[in-house]
Amino acid sequence: MSSLLLLGLTTVFTLVGRDNLLRQFDESRDAQLQRQAREVRQALNQSMDGLRQIAALNASPTPELGKALKQADQAVITEAFRHQWPTMQLEAGIDELQVLDEAGQPLARWGTSQPHRQLPTSRWAKQVIASDTPMTALRCFANCRQYALVPMLVDGHSHGAILVSRSLADVTRQARNVSGSDIALLITGQYALEQLDETRSVSAWHGRLATLTNQNKTLPLIQQAAYQTTLDGLQNTPVRLKQDARHLEISTVTLSDASDQPANAHFLLISDISAQMYAIDRDTGVILATGLFGWLAAEAMLLAILWKPMSRVRRLASVLPALSQGGFDRTRQTIPQPKRRLSDEIDLLDATVLDLTGQLETLEAEVSSRGELLNARVEDLARERDFIESLLDTAHVLILTQDDQGRISLVNQYCQDIFDQPYEVILGQRFEALFHEADNAHHYGNNHQAEERILRGPHDEERTIVWYHAPLAESRDRAMHTISVGIDITDRKAAESRLAWLASRDSLTSLYNRRAFKEKVATALSANNTGVVLFTDLDQFKDVNELSGHPAGDRLLQLVAQNIEKTIGDKGTVARLGGDEFAILLEHADESDAIRVARELESSLDSTTLPLPDGRCHRASMSIGIACFPLHGHTPDELMANADVAMYKAKESSLKRWHILSTFDEAKSELHQRVYWIERIRKALEHHEFELMAQPISCLADREIKHYELLLRMRGKDGELISPWQFIPIAERSGQIIQIDRWVLSKSLKILSRVQDRGVTLSINLSGSTLHDQELHHFLEREIIASGANPQQLILEVTETAAVTDFSIARQVLQGMRDIGCKTALDDFGVGFSSFHYLGKLPVDYIKIDGSFIQSMKEDSNSRVIVKAISDMANGLGKHSIAEFVDDEETIKLLTSYGIEYGQGFHIGRPESAESTFFSTVTNELT
């Protein structure tokens, strides 16, 4: 504890010393920054005064110039100032000179104005002429300039004004000399953001850098500071950063004039404070080293003082455990007899332990002899007692004995707990008196030796007990005439009732389950009744489980079930078929009744929300399919299947949430079509009836083709190729898409292993459903190892819509693919709103620009702008870009001018069989 205390004090002193050094350094830096700010503003004011003096020197016209000014003779005015302009430009750094008439309109102008900005020179001139007072202003747009207007007096009256302006170059140089640091001029506001130079933009501060010294090193620092603090925060507290073992500090000085124009220019001072920070670290190390040296010295002193006493204490402690276990001889051998005249506390402990050893040895001998006598007598009694007590008190059954009059003579503990009465109260009572109702017994058999009785406990809970009675024939004791054993079957009875209830009910919502609902429908059909079946499915319910967890999804299902029951009431039967599917049976109802109920359900669910503790709120909505009987089916399975088809029709509709089948033939056709494709896909997977097509992707710079995209086709019965749009939507709905994706991956890797030596790269499309395949990562690893393919030559594509919809999952899956070694691509890029926001965060190597933009490039200027922006952003983020639907040579020229690297389309190459594309070439080469 002393060591820890000393070490803790050393640490505290070190931290306090470092904190004082940092505080002193902060105070000195604050004072230095305030001084630098004053000097920068003083330099700005001096520059403004100098500009005003230059304007005043040129505002005293000669008689001829005064006459020309009155007559607004531009030729004379131009000639008068023509010789002065070069001198003002070279010696005073004037960027612009204007002579304005009384209306504020320019009579003569030299130099350049700030581009694309209309300054209120006319208003300034009128103000100066009316007040006969010069004025100055600072305006920052693309850059910052100081302006000075001075009235031109002719015969004591102002007949015009002269305007001069110059940049802040001299002020910037003086500010750099004052601070001794790198300096940058930041201009904020809409004018700065409209500049085309993106390299100096600081988007986090909504501005751009007009001036910047040592740009290669200071620009990244300013960008880093912009993401750490706001501009207002930087004005109050400088930001300190570390770069290449250097400590840098960024502070700001706001530039403003006396006008009401808001300040939008700031000097950023980047100072190197490495020497001061290293000095603080060095002083902190000295403090810490001094403290540690003192701590080690104290430890050494304590060790020297306590070593010998502690060794004697350890010797004593080592024999005490042996003494407790009877090691008397060892104790005497280890501890010597005290012989010193001046004894200490340890000597006293040694003597006491030796005395205690002799007493314990004597006591142990006495206890041992008496214990042997007692053990012999106790063992005989314990056998019988242990058997009876174990039987009575450990058995979780009610055991009692009755005398020949039916009175209780013995009762076990479990029986007392069940009756909630003490032993003294139960003893002597008649057996029948233990029950509140004497006639509630249910006998089994004819001999009444087993009976079931209902027992009401102290809290009015009912328990069912089965009693078994048997006479004690061997006993001559009248008090032990009959033994009664009771078994509590309350839980078994409850379980049987619960099982009976669960056979027809859903455990989560208490609605009817699928089996009970089908029985209800079968009963209605057998009675030749008319009616409707409504099949419902919650929209985007999977998002609730993924975002908030399954408990939140269960609560939402319970709310939906309550609202459906409340809406339907006694008009029909409501059931939960499983997952987020519900069904409603309305007997003696027609289409109009079904539509009215569907609308009521829509209205009810619009107000069904699930608020969560984190502030989020999930709202329920559902798609409803309606099937009428007997029109749409004569069996429960057929009717529910048709209602399911109608429900999917409602999901596909964007106009309303419900759909009713028009005819039975339509429902049957759609159902058969879906069942056909599901079975067709299953057979295609089993018999390898899928085929891969390869479409080349060309490098637009040299037209070399080393990159192919593999496209999926299904081989028909007559050998024709079936396009994926005919079966992929059904595969996604039925869950077969994951098996298809795995087939494509396995087949593609086998092809890649055979062509990878030629430098060929293959691209594969993955569906959005595969992003949720938990085994995708392991499956891909196994297939790569088994095939021997190089993952660096495999590109896995996901669509932009799937990636943005499940962004966190897509990012995790894509990163996992890259960890294996595969490349990744974002397909159909540009069709989503949030593409550019998520592009920098998704781990992808390629961006495939959606073909709709490529096809309309030649006619639509907006498409060209979008394609150019996507290309620039992809290049800036270090990603390769691929253009789809390249159909002619003119499009290739446009794409090349935009910096797009790769192209894909019919002009470059049509999809061909992968076998013929790759392996016929190999055969020809071998031949």
Side-chain angles (χ1 to χ4, degrees):
M1 291 300 295
S2 301
S3 302
L4 293 176
L5 178 61
L6 290 174
L7 186 60
L9 289 175
T10 301
T11 304
V12 170
F13 289 151
T14 303
L15 295 177
V16 170
R18 180 176 179 83
D19 183 72
N20 289 332
L21 292 174
L22 290 175
R23 179 173 51 79
Q24 294 172 5
F25 173 67
D26 291 341
E27 292 175 355
S28 65
R29 285 298 302 171
D30 291 341
Q32 185 177 0
L33 291 176
Q34 292 176 5
R35 178 181 59 77
Q36 290 177 357
R38 289 195 300 270
E39 292 178 353
V40 169
R41 294 192 178 94
Q42 183 179 358
L44 183 65
N45 294 334
Q46 290 175 355
S47 176
M48 193 72 80
D49 293 340
L51 185 64
R52 185 171 58 246
Q53 293 174 4
I54 293 171
L57 290 175
N58 291 275
S60 300
T62 62
E64 294 181 358
L65 181 60
K67 182 178 178 181
L69 191 63
K70 288 181 179 181
Q71 297 176 356
D73 191 341
Q74 296 183 0
V76 175
I77 294 172
T78 302
E79 182 63 26
F81 282 94
R82 183 171 60 84
H83 299 290
Q84 300 179 21
W85 167 246
T87 303
M88 296 172 64
Q89 189 176 22
L90 294 175
E91 296 183 359
I94 303 302
D95 295 323
E96 181 182 7
L97 170 66
Q98 292 189 31
V99 179
L100 308 173
D101 60 11
E102 295 181 3
Q105 300 301 318
L107 298 174
R109 176 182 293 174
W110 292 268
T112 58
S113 303
Q114 294 208 55
H116 308 298
R117 298 295 167 209
Q118 186 65 37
L119 292 170
T121 55
S122 176
R123 178 170 58 81
W124 287 352
K126 291 179 182 178
Q127 177 182 346
V128 168
I129 294 171
S131 63
D132 288 336
T133 304
M135 71 166 290
T136 58
L138 175 66
R139 291 294 183 269
C140 296
F141 299 113
N143 52 33
C144 289
R145 283 192 185 181
Q146 294 176 320
Y147 293 88
L149 278 86
V150 177
M152 301 182 70
L153 300 177
V154 180
D155 299 331
H157 298 283
S158 299
H159 289 279
I162 185 169
L163 180 145
V164 293
S165 70
R166 66 181 173 187
S167 67
L168 296 181
D170 292 338
V171 177
T172 303
R173 285 191 294 272
Q174 189 170 355
R176 185 179 184 184
N177 294 333
V178 167
S179 63
S181 310
D182 288 318
I183 192 167
L185 177 59
L186 174 68
I187 302 175
T188 60
Q190 183 65 29
Y191 306 118
L193 294 175
E194 292 176 357
Q195 298 304 308
L196 297 177
D197 187 5
E198 295 293 337
T199 60
R200 290 189 175 187
S201 66
V202 185
S203 58
W205 287 343
H206 306 290
R208 64 179 294 275
L209 300 172
T211 303
L212 180 62
T213 62
N214 200 4
Q215 177 174 341
N216 292 336
K217 294 183 178 180
T218 56
L219 181 57
L221 290 172
I222 295 174
Q223 296 286 3
Q224 184 179 354
Y227 284 103
Q228 290 187 7
T229 183
T230 63
L231 190 57
D232 294 337
L234 185 64
Q235 294 175 2
N236 298 326
T237 305
V239 173
R240 293 177 182 172
L241 305 170
K242 190 173 182 181
Q243 182 189 50
D244 299 333
R246 293 194 308 151
H247 295 272
L248 303 170
E249 182 181 70
I250 300 179
S251 58
T252 180
V253 178
T254 302
L255 304 181
S256 62
D257 54 9
S259 65
D260 57 355
Q261 182 74 16
N264 66 331
H266 311 268
F267 272 133
L268 301 179
L269 307 178
I270 300 97
S271 306
D272 190 343
I273 59 172
S274 300
Q276 295 91 327
M277 296 303 296
Y278 291 151
I280 291 174
D281 292 340
R282 185 175 58 254
D283 293 344
T284 302
V286 171
I287 295 173
L288 179 60
T290 304
L292 290 176
F293 178 77
W295 172 66
L296 291 174
E299 288 290 314
M301 291 176 63
L302 284 174
L303 183 62
I305 294 171
L306 298 177
W307 179 260
K308 187 174 181 180
M310 288 304 297
S311 63
R312 296 172 62 196
V313 172
R314 286 195 297 270
R315 181 193 62 192
L316 183 61
S318 66
V319 301
L320 289 178
L323 180 61
S324 65
Q325 298 176 1
F328 307 114
D329 294 335
R330 178 186 173 186
T331 302
R332 294 190 185 94
Q333 293 173 0
T334 304
I335 300 178
Q337 291 289 340
K339 298 179 180 179
R340 294 191 300 173
R341 295 181 180 179
L342 299 176
S343 61
D344 55 16
E345 289 81 358
I346 299 178
D347 293 330
L348 179 61
L349 286 175
D350 288 343
T352 304
V353 168
L354 291 175
D355 293 341
L356 182 60
T357 300
Q359 295 177 12
L360 289 177
E361 188 173 11
T362 303
L363 182 60
E364 183 181 27
E366 294 179 359
V367 170
S368 177
S369 61
R370 294 186 182 184
E372 292 176 358
L373 295 176
L374 291 174
N375 287 337
R377 297 180 62 185
V378 169
E379 287 177 359
D380 295 336
L381 298 174
R383 294 188 184 94
E384 297 180 4
R385 183 196 61 209
D386 292 342
F387 175 77
I388 297 174
E389 289 181 353
S390 299
L391 179 62
L392 293 179
D393 292 334
T394 62
H396 276 237
V397 292
L398 293 83
I399 301 176
L400 56 85
T401 59
Q402 305 176 38
D403 60 13
D404 56 356
Q405 300 298 321
R407 293 182 177 87
I408 297 173
S409 57
L410 179 66
V411 63
N412 69 341
Q413 184 62 44
Y414 186 74
C415 190
Q416 299 173 46
D417 295 338
I418 292 295
F419 284 103
D420 195 29
Q421 293 182 14
Y423 181 83
E424 295 79 7
V425 175
I426 299 177
L427 199 66
Q429 293 190 44
R430 296 186 65 85
F431 178 76
E432 298 293 341
L434 295 175
F435 307 98
H436 295 282
E437 298 179 6
D439 56 349
N440 64 356
H442 176 71
H443 296 275
Y444 299 95
N446 297 324
N447 56 3
H448 292 187
Q449 290 185 345
E451 59 181 354
E452 181 180 306
R453 288 181 178 268
I454 304 298
L455 173 67
R456 192 178 301 276
H459 302 290
D460 290 336
E461 74 275 10
E462 291 187 352
R463 308 194 69 83
T464 303
I465 310 295
V466 175
W467 289 95
Y468 297 90
H469 307 287
L472 296 173
E474 298 292 331
S475 176
R476 298 180 181 180
D477 189 355
R478 297 178 57 187
M480 297 290 180
H481 183 271
T482 305
I483 183 171
S484 300
V485 178
I487 300 176
D488 188 350
I489 61 171
T490 306
D491 294 338
R492 190 187 74 185
K493 287 281 188 179
E496 291 174 353
S497 301
R498 178 67 176 172
L499 288 174
W501 186 85
L502 286 176
S504 61
R505 294 285 182 169
D506 174 58
S507 60
L508 178 64
T509 61
S510 299
L511 299 176
Y512 284 105
N513 57 18
R514 179 183 291 270
R515 186 185 64 81
F517 185 77
K518 290 176 67 174
E519 291 177 355
K520 295 283 186 181
V521 175
T523 301
L525 291 173
S526 62
N528 294 325
N529 294 333
T530 60
V532 294
V533 170
L534 288 80
F535 193 94
T536 71
D537 182 85
L538 296 184
D539 300 326
Q540 287 86 39
F541 179 72
K542 180 182 69 174
D543 297 343
V544 179
N545 286 331
E546 292 182 352
L547 294 175
S548 303
H550 289 279
D554 291 343
R555 291 200 299 273
L556 184 60
L557 288 174
Q558 291 171 343
L559 290 175
V560 170
Q562 293 171 6
N563 278 2
I564 294 177
E565 275 195 307
K566 183 178 179 181
T567 302
I568 300 301
D570 298 332
K571 295 180 289 186
T573 302
V574 183
R576 179 188 176 214
L577 304 183
D580 57 343
E581 297 178 347
F582 296 86
I584 303 165
L585 171 64
L586 301 177
E587 297 189 57
H588 308 292
D590 54 15
E591 291 185 2
S592 61
D593 296 328
I595 294 173
R596 177 176 52 79
V597 169
R599 289 173 176 169
E600 290 177 357
L601 289 174
E602 286 182 7
S603 176
S604 174
L605 286 182
D606 283 340
S607 60
T608 302
T609 58
L610 176 64
L612 298 175
D614 57 3
R616 288 182 298 175
C617 183
H618 293 292
R619 185 176 299 276
S621 65
M622 64 169 53
S623 300
I624 305 173
I626 303 173
C628 303
F629 61 86
L631 176 62
H632 295 145
H634 299 280
T635 65
D637 290 334
E638 190 175 25
L639 190 61
M640 293 173 67
N642 290 332
D644 186 24
V645 171
M647 184 271 294
Y648 279 107
K649 283 289 186 180
K651 281 188 177 293
E652 296 171 0
S653 173
S654 59
L655 301 177
K656 55 187 178 180
R657 298 180 186 171
W658 54 269
H659 180 80
I660 185 168
L661 295 176
S662 58
T663 63
F664 176 72
D665 292 337
E666 174 190 352
K668 191 172 182 179
S669 174
E670 292 182 0
L671 179 61
H672 286 177
Q673 187 74 1
R674 198 175 83 181
V675 172
Y676 165 77
W677 279 114
I678 291 174
E679 182 63 20
R680 185 71 181 85
I681 293 170
R682 185 185 65 80
K683 289 183 178 179
L685 287 169
E686 289 180 356
H687 302 290
H688 301 284
E689 295 178 358
F690 288 113
E691 185 168 337
L692 292 180
M693 310 291 287
Q695 185 176 18
I697 298 176
S698 171
C699 177
L700 299 181
D702 55 10
R703 304 300 176 89
E704 183 183 12
I705 297 177
K706 289 290 186 180
H707 185 176
Y708 294 85
E709 180 178 3
L710 297 182
L711 306 173
L712 181 66
R713 300 290 187 270
M714 181 188 288
R715 182 66 66 182
K717 295 180 180 179
D718 299 329
E720 76 279 7
L721 293 179
I722 301 174
S723 180
W725 66 264
Q726 298 188 47
F727 58 86
I728 288 297
I730 295 178
E732 290 178 340
R733 189 182 302 171
S734 64
Q736 294 172 304
I737 190 64
I738 294 178
Q739 296 174 274
I740 294 177
D741 278 353
R742 291 194 175 192
W743 184 91
V744 172
L745 281 170
S746 179
K747 184 69 173 178
S748 302
L749 286 170
K750 292 177 181 177
I751 294 175
L752 178 60
S753 66
R754 299 170 63 185
V755 301
Q756 60 189 7
D757 293 339
R758 289 185 279 162
V760 174
T761 300
L762 301 182
S763 291
I764 304 171
N765 282 287
L766 296 180
S767 68
S769 300
T770 301
L771 295 178
H772 299 274
D773 185 3
Q774 301 292 334
E775 296 297 325
L776 175 62
H777 186 275
H778 300 296
F779 174 80
L780 188 56
E781 282 186 328
R782 291 195 304 267
E783 289 297 321
I784 290 174
I785 295 173
S787 63
N790 182 8
Q792 295 288 338
Q793 295 173 243
L794 179 66
I795 302 175
L796 301 176
E797 301 180 11
V798 297
T799 62
E800 174 203 6
T801 305
V804 173
T805 302
D806 296 316
F807 175 73
S808 61
I809 295 176
R811 182 177 181 181
Q812 180 181 357
V813 173
L814 290 172
Q815 187 58 51
M817 295 173 181
R818 298 185 77 186
D819 293 340
I820 295 174
C822 302
K823 305 291 186 181
T824 56
L826 198 60
D827 198 8
D828 298 336
F829 186 80
V831 297
F833 247 139
S834 53
S835 303
F836 295 104
H837 173 69
Y838 288 107
L839 180 57
K841 300 181 180 180
L842 284 172
V844 295
D845 303 288
Y846 293 86
I847 296 173
K848 299 189 73 172
I849 305 174
D850 188 70
S852 60
F853 299 114
I854 307 301
Q855 287 181 315
S856 59
M857 277 178 54
K858 293 184 290 185
E859 297 81 12
D860 188 0
S861 60
N862 292 331
S863 295
R864 292 195 293 273
V865 171
I866 293 174
V867 172
K868 180 65 167 58
I870 294 175
S871 175
D872 292 341
M873 179 163 288
N875 293 331
L877 295 174
K879 304 180 188 301
H880 304 287
S881 52
I882 302 174
E884 299 178 320
F885 292 4
V886 178
D887 295 333
D888 51 44
E889 193 66 28
E890 183 180 353
T891 302
I892 293 179
K893 294 179 180 179
L894 278 175
L895 296 174
T896 305
S897 66
Y898 291 162
I900 295 176
E901 300 176 70
Y902 300 98
Q904 178 182 3
F906 285 173
H907 183 70
I908 296 173
R910 294 178 176 270
E912 299 290 343
S913 170
E915 293 287 335
S916 61
T917 300
F918 298 121
F919 305 121
S920 63
T921 304
V922 175
T923 303
N924 293 335
E925 291 176 357
L926 293 175
T927 304

